[in-house]
Amino acid sequence: MNLKPIFIRIKFNEMQAPHPARHQNRISRIASAIEERFPTTNRPEKIKLKHVNWVVNHWLESQNYKPATRADYINSLKLLIEALGRKDHWFGPLKIRAKGPGGRPRVSRVVKSKKYYRK
C-alpha cells in the first residue's frame, strides 16, 4: 500500500527524532495488516471503518502488545484516521476519544489544505 499521501498530510512540527519514524512505522504496520486481511484494500483511500474496527478489536489483541505499546498504536491510528479525513465520523463508533480541551497541545497535526501538503 502506498502511504505517501498519508505521510505528506501528517506534520511532526517539533517532535524529537525517533518519534516521527515510530509513528510512520506503526501506520505502515497497521496498513500492511489491513491489506493482508482485506486484499482488496490496496490504497489508503479504500480503508473503511470496518477495517479500522478490525485493527482495534482483533489485530491489536492478537499481537499481545503491552498497554503502553497498544496506546502508542492507537495514537498512530488516530493520525491515520485524521489523515484520511474521517475523524468526525469514526472516533465515535471506534470508541476512541479525540483530544479534549485542556492539557498539553499536540505536536503532530494533520494538514487539511492541499496548499500545505508539500514538505
Side-chain angles (χ1 to χ4, degrees):
M1 187 178 303
N2 181 16
L3 295 173
K4 186 177 179 181
I6 299 297
F7 293 146
I8 288 174
R9 292 190 70 192
I10 299 173
K11 300 295 180 193
F12 302 103
N13 293 332
E14 296 172 8
M15 195 176 278
Q16 297 298 322
H19 299 295
R22 288 180 182 169
H23 275 294
Q24 290 175 346
N25 290 337
R26 284 188 218 113
I27 290 172
S28 297
R29 283 189 208 121
I30 290 169
S32 64
I34 290 172
E35 188 174 15
E36 182 180 324
R37 174 75 167 99
F38 305 98
T40 59
T41 309
N42 53 5
R43 292 192 320 253
E45 301 85 28
K46 288 187 171 184
I47 295 176
K48 296 181 181 178
L49 177 60
K50 67 178 182 179
H51 303 134
V52 179
N53 196 11
W54 173 80
V55 167
V56 171
N57 293 330
H58 298 287
W59 185 75
L60 283 175
E61 296 296 326
S62 68
Q63 298 297 316
N64 293 324
Y65 288 133
K66 292 186 178 181
T69 307
R70 183 180 163 87
D72 291 338
Y73 269 92
I74 294 294
N75 286 334
S76 297
L77 188 64
K78 286 180 187 178
L79 283 176
L80 175 64
I81 291 170
E82 288 180 34
L84 289 171
R86 298 180 174 113
K87 174 179 92 166
D88 299 333
H89 307 292
W90 287 10
F91 280 176
L94 291 171
K95 298 180 181 93
I96 296 176
R97 293 184 302 152
K99 179 100 173 146
R104 225 178 250 178
R106 285 177 54 184
V107 176
S108 60
R109 64 184 176 93
V110 175
V111 179
K112 294 180 183 176
S113 173
K114 289 187 180 184
K115 174 179 155 183
Y116 299 107
Y117 278 13
R118 295 184 197 97
K119 286 190 174 185

